C-alpha cells in the first residue's frame, strides 16, 4: 500500500462511502435508473455519497428563503480562488473568471470560438467520451494523439501533431479521465511550451482536480511557466457530487482573457444556475474536511480493489492513479470479446465499455470506486463469477 498523510483527525469522521443499496436505489438519477434493480451500477461518474453537510444546509436556506432566481455576484469564483491558493498555491484572479453552465458546454463554446472549418482539435485517447462528441459536433475535425502504453502524454507525437498548421486546439483532460493519471509539472511545462511554439490553444478540463490525493500533488496548468494563453474549465461538481446542480468556471490565462471576454452574457452567466453556484460555493467554503475524508476513503477503495482483483481476477490489470475515483481496468487477458457486456449480462454489474473511450481500448472497462467497500466487493465477486461462467 502506498504511504498516505497523517490522517488521524480526518478519520474520526463518519465514513462517507457507506450508503447501503436500499438507500441508493431510492435515487432517481441516471446512475440508478439506467439499468434494472438487480444490476450494480458502477459506471457513470456519480458518487454514492450523502450531500456534504455545508451544501445541505445551504440548500435548505435557499428553499426556506425562496432564493431560486438568477445568479448574481462573484462568490463562486472567489471561493475557487481561495481553494486553489490553499490547495495548490495557485493564485486565481476572480475578476477574470467567467461562469459557464457546465464544463463541457464551456469547452464547446471555446472550441466554437477558436476553431474554424477544416482545422483540427487534438484529444488523447483513451479519453472521456464527451470529448469525442463535443469535437465531433463542432466545425473542426478531430485528431487523436493517444496516450503512451504507460498512460502518459506522448510529447513526441504531440510535437508532430502541433507542427501541422491545421491543428489549432488541444483539448486536454487533467487529471486524465478515464486513466486517472495526474500530469506532472514537467509534462505540463513541456506541453505548454509546445503549444506556445506552434500557436495551439491548450484548452484544459480540470474538473477532477480537487479529488487528487492524498499523497499526490495536482498541478494546475495555469500555474506552469508560460501558460498565459491557456484556458481552463473546472467545477466543484465532481468532487462534491453535485452533477445535478450545474455550474462551472472558465479561467483564462492572462494572454487568453480576450477569449473569456468575447463569450456572451447569455451563454455564460445567464445560463448558469444560481442554486448551483450557491451550492458549489458552500462546498468550497465549508466542506473541505469532507473532501479530505473522501480522498482517504477513495484510496482505501483503490487498495481494496487491488486485493480483490488479485484474489478473484488476477488476469485483470489495474494501474493505480490518484486523479479520479474511476478505475481503468485492463481486461485483455480475459477470454472475453467485450468485457463490459459480459460483466453486465452475466454478472449484473454495469461498467463503462473501454470502446467508448477510444478505438484501441475495447478490452478495458472503467469502474466507479466512489461507493461502499461492500458494493465494490460484491461487484468483483459477480465479475469473477461472470468470467467463470
Amino acid at each position: 500500500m502506498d504511504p498516505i498523510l497523517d490522517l488521524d483527525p480526518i478519520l474520526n469522521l463518519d465514513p462517507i462511502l457507506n450508503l447501503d443499496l436500499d438507500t441508493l436505489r431510492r435515487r432517481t438519477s441516471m446512475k440508478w435508473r439506467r439499468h434494472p434493480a438487480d444490476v450494480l451500477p458502477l459506471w457513470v461518474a456519480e458518487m454514492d455519497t450523502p450531500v456534504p453537510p455545508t451544501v445541505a444546509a445551504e440548500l435548505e436556506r435557499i428553499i426556506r428563503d425562496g432564493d431560486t432566481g438568477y445568479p448574481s455576484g462573484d462568490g463562486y469564483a472567489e471561493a475557487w480562488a481561495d481553494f486553489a491558493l490553499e490547495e495548490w498555491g495557485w493564485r486565481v484572479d476572480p475578476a477574470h473568471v467567467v461562469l459557464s453552465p457546465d464544463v463541457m458546454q464551456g469547452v464547446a463554446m471555446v472550441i466554437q470560438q477558436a476553431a474554424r472549418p477544416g482545422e483540427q482539435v487534438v484529444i488523447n485517447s483513451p479519453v472521456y467520451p464527451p470529448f469525442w462528441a463535443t469535437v465531433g459536433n463542432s466545425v473542426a475535425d478531430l485528431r487523436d494523439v493517444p496516450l503512451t502504453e504507460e498512460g502518459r502524454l506522448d510529447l513526441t507525437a504531440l510535437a508532430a501533431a502541433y507542427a501541422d498548421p491545421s491543428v489549432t486546439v488541444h483539448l486536454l483532460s487533467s487529471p486524465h479521465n478515464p486513466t486517472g493519471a495526474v500530469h506532472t509539472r514537467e509534462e505540463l511545462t513541456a506541453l505548454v511550451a509546445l503549444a506556445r511554439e506552434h500557436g495551439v490553444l491548450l484548452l484544459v478540463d480540470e474538473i477532477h482536480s480537487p479529488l487528487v490525493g492524498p499523497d499526490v500533488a495536482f498541478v494546475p496548468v495555469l500555474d506552469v511557466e508560460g501558460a498565459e494563453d491557456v484556458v481552463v474549465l473546472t467545477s466543484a461538481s465532481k468532487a462534491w457530487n453535485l452533477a445535478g446542480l450545474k455550474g462551472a468556471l472558465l479561467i483564462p490565462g492572462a494572454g487568453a482573457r480576450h477569449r473569456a471576454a468575447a463569450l456572451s452574457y447569455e451563454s455564460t452567466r445567464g445560463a448558469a444556475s444560481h442554486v448551483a453556484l450557491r451550492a458549489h460555493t458552500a462546498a468550497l467554503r465549508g466542506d473541505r474536511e469532507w473532501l479530505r475524508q473522501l480522498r482517504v476513503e477513495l484510496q482505501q477503495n483503490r487498495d481494496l480493489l487491488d486485493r480483490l482483483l488479485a484474489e478473484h481476477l488476477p488476469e485483470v490489470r489495474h494501474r493505480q492513479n490518484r486523479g479520479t475515483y474511476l478505475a481503468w481496468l485492463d481486461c485483455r487477458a480475459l477470454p472475453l470479446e467485450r468485457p463490459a457486456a459480459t460483466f453486465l449480462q452475466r454478472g449484473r454489474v454495469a461498467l463503462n465499455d473501454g470502446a467508448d473511450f477510444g478505438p484501441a481500448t475495447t478490452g478495458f472497462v472503467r469502474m466507479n470506486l466512489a461507493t461502499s467497500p461492500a458494493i465494490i466487493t460484491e461487484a468483483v465477486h459477480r465479475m469473477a463469477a461472470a468470467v467463470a461462467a
Side-chain angles (χ1 to χ4, degrees):
M1 183 184 300
D2 291 331
I4 58 176
L5 303 177
D6 180 4
L7 297 165
D8 288 342
I10 300 171
L11 293 175
N12 288 330
L13 294 176
D14 291 334
I16 294 170
L17 297 171
N18 197 37
L19 298 180
D20 59 49
L21 280 172
D22 288 341
T23 299
L24 292 166
R25 284 181 175 138
R26 292 199 296 268
R27 295 184 172 182
T28 60
S29 63
M30 180 190 296
K31 180 177 182 180
W32 292 95
R33 286 295 183 265
R34 174 65 60 85
H35 299 286
D38 66 327
V39 172
L40 292 180
L42 299 179
W43 61 292
V44 72
E46 297 178 21
M47 295 196 291
D48 296 343
T49 67
V51 176
T54 307
V55 173
E58 184 73 352
L59 292 174
E60 289 174 0
R61 279 191 291 272
I62 289 169
I63 299 303
R64 184 178 63 245
D65 297 342
D67 190 8
T68 54
Y70 294 107
S72 176
D74 297 318
Y76 186 17
E78 292 165 357
W80 184 269
D82 290 342
F83 177 82
L85 183 61
E86 292 179 26
E87 284 284 319
W88 308 308
W90 170 38
R91 294 187 179 277
V92 177
D93 185 349
H96 298 287
V97 175
V98 173
L99 294 177
S100 174
D102 64 20
V103 165
M104 289 314 300
Q105 288 188 58
V107 165
M109 288 187 290
V110 175
I111 290 176
Q112 181 181 19
Q113 177 196 83
R116 299 174 181 174
E119 294 181 340
Q120 296 185 5
V121 176
V122 167
I123 63 172
N124 309 109
S125 68
V127 74
Y128 183 49
F131 275 32
W132 297 87
T134 299
V135 178
N137 291 331
S138 74
V139 299
D141 297 324
L142 185 148
R143 181 163 182 161
D144 182 22
V145 180
L147 300 177
T148 67
E149 184 65 24
E150 293 73 34
R152 311 307 305 185
L153 293 172
D154 189 335
L155 293 169
T156 301
L158 284 167
Y162 283 10
D164 183 341
S166 67
V167 170
T168 55
V169 179
H170 179 184
L171 175 56
L172 178 70
S173 179
S174 179
H176 196 86
N177 177 7
T179 66
V182 181
H183 306 307
T184 66
R185 183 171 293 275
E186 291 74 20
E187 288 171 323
L188 291 172
T189 300
L191 186 65
V192 165
L194 283 173
R196 292 200 70 173
E197 177 184 353
H198 295 284
V200 172
L201 170 64
L202 197 56
L203 177 59
V204 186
D205 170 2
E206 292 187 348
I207 194 171
H208 289 94
S209 56
L211 290 162
V212 176
D215 58 336
V216 172
F218 171 73
V219 179
V221 67
L222 285 173
D223 193 43
V224 169
E225 183 179 356
E228 290 82 2
D229 298 329
V230 175
V231 175
V232 166
L233 271 298
T234 194
S235 174
S237 64
K238 197 64 65 182
W240 284 274
N241 203 36
L242 303 174
L245 296 167
K246 285 185 174 291
L249 299 170
L250 188 154
I251 308 175
R257 289 172 181 167
H258 65 287
R259 297 190 183 278
L263 295 173
S264 69
Y265 177 91
E266 290 77 11
S267 64
T268 55
R269 179 180 293 275
S273 162
H274 176 55
V275 175
L277 301 186
R278 281 192 57 177
H280 291 203
T281 302
L284 289 161
R285 295 287 189 202
D287 286 318
R288 305 274 189 90
E289 187 176 3
W290 187 94
L291 177 64
R292 289 194 290 272
Q293 173 69 19
L294 176 68
R295 290 170 178 161
V296 174
E297 293 184 34
L298 289 174
Q299 184 54 42
Q300 292 170 344
N301 281 356
R302 294 184 191 107
D303 293 333
L304 171 64
L305 176 63
D306 280 348
R307 293 194 298 272
L308 290 167
L309 292 175
E311 181 178 357
H312 301 286
L313 286 169
E315 303 89 352
V316 174
R317 183 185 180 198
H318 172 221
R319 180 188 290 118
Q320 276 204 26
N321 283 296
R322 303 294 195 270
T324 69
Y325 51 74
L326 307 163
W328 185 238
L329 305 182
D330 183 351
C331 302
R332 290 175 294 181
L334 296 176
L336 306 176
E337 184 176 350
R338 295 297 286 270
T342 300
F343 293 142
L344 177 59
Q345 293 162 10
R346 297 181 185 173
R348 312 307 287 162
V349 178
L351 307 173
N352 292 99
D353 191 335
D356 295 335
F357 298 83
T361 48
T362 57
F364 288 72
V365 296
R366 192 187 75 170
M367 174 185 278
N368 185 338
L369 296 180
T371 190
S372 72
I375 291 175
I376 293 172
T377 301
E378 173 65 16
V380 174
H381 287 166
R382 291 188 185 192
M383 291 162 65
V387 173

